[in-house]
Amino acid sequence: MLTTSSRLRIQEILNRLSAGNQVTLEERIYINKYATKNQNVSSWLRKASRIQRNQPVDNQIDDLLNGLDLSSEDPNSTYNPDRDDLGEWFTGAPSWIKRS
């Protein structure tokens, strides 16, 4: 659970990150500490990274996927069934998507 002060600090850092402004190493470590434990922070971080990369939404499908936050943090990653485990592919996904 995030305190109000932690949430505000995280959102301020992510706003600077998404705008392409300077974010210190300590701030990145702070964000990642929370992102590994909190799905909301992880989602906010992925969204800020997407905004920073300025990926324009081309169609309604991309808009839907961005809204569901199912896309990968790495824009160049693709699933390869010969090398990748499908369960690991969804490690960053919300808990309701992961296999049980």
Side-chain angles (χ1 to χ4, degrees), residues 4-16:
T4 302
S5 61
S6 295
R7 180 184 54 80
L8 292 174
R9 181 173 181 212
I10 289 168
Q11 289 176 332
E12 186 271 327
I13 294 168
L14 291 175
N15 283 336
R16 285 191 284 126

Side-chain angles (χ1 to χ4, degrees), residues 77-93:
S77 70
T78 56
Y79 174 68
N80 182 342
D82 296 328
R83 315 189 299 250
D84 299 329
D85 176 33
L86 186 59
E88 291 175 11
W89 184 255
F90 289 100
T91 54

